[in-house]
Amino acid sequence: MNKFIILCIIAAIYCGDINKAVQHLVSHAKSSSVHLCAKYVADALAAGGFKFARQGSAYQYRTNGVLTSIGYKEISKPSSFQKGDITVTDRNSAHPHGHIAMWSGSCWISDFKQRSEFVYSKSQPKVHYFRYQK
């Protein structure tokens, strides 16, 4: 079998579909937070075909290397966002699980449609940006 065909098969097995992930997240978003950002973003990634170990807290998707293991790369804050970009907000004493959200192409969505990538009203911890590298 041609090496190119084998590589394409392997890529199809291990690569997720950002459009499917975003579509799932958009269709399941609530009107306000239900405090399940990690579950909703993980459900969306799984719906997109990404294979990973679910984490108990949002910040762990960054600290445990889950996002990088599925093809995301941490980047500095971009001047414009791309569909499928993910933010992970560090935890703090007021928010011990941190926060995670995905850019839909028009807004940030976690378990609800957010007004911006920043969701905490006070003492905003560092926000990390990730982009899928196909």
Side-chain angles (χ1 to χ4, degrees), residues 36-106:
L36 294 172
C37 62
K39 178 192 180 327
Y40 276 65
V41 173
D43 288 350
L45 290 169
F50 292 93
K51 307 292 185 216
F52 58 94
R54 288 180 181 258
Q55 304 297 296
S57 292
Y59 76 92
Q60 293 174 320
Y61 283 89
R62 178 185 72 83
T63 60
N64 291 344
V66 173
L67 292 175
T68 55
S69 76
I70 61 172
Y72 275 84
K73 180 180 178 185
E74 188 166 1
I75 60 172
S76 59
K77 183 176 181 177
S79 57
S80 63
F81 299 114
Q82 294 180 8
K83 185 188 276 188
D85 282 357
I86 290 178
T87 60
V88 178
T89 304
D90 286 344
R91 63 185 175 159
N92 65 15
S93 60
H95 303 280
H97 297 286
H99 185 72
I100 188 168
M102 183 182 283
W103 181 251
S104 70
S106 61

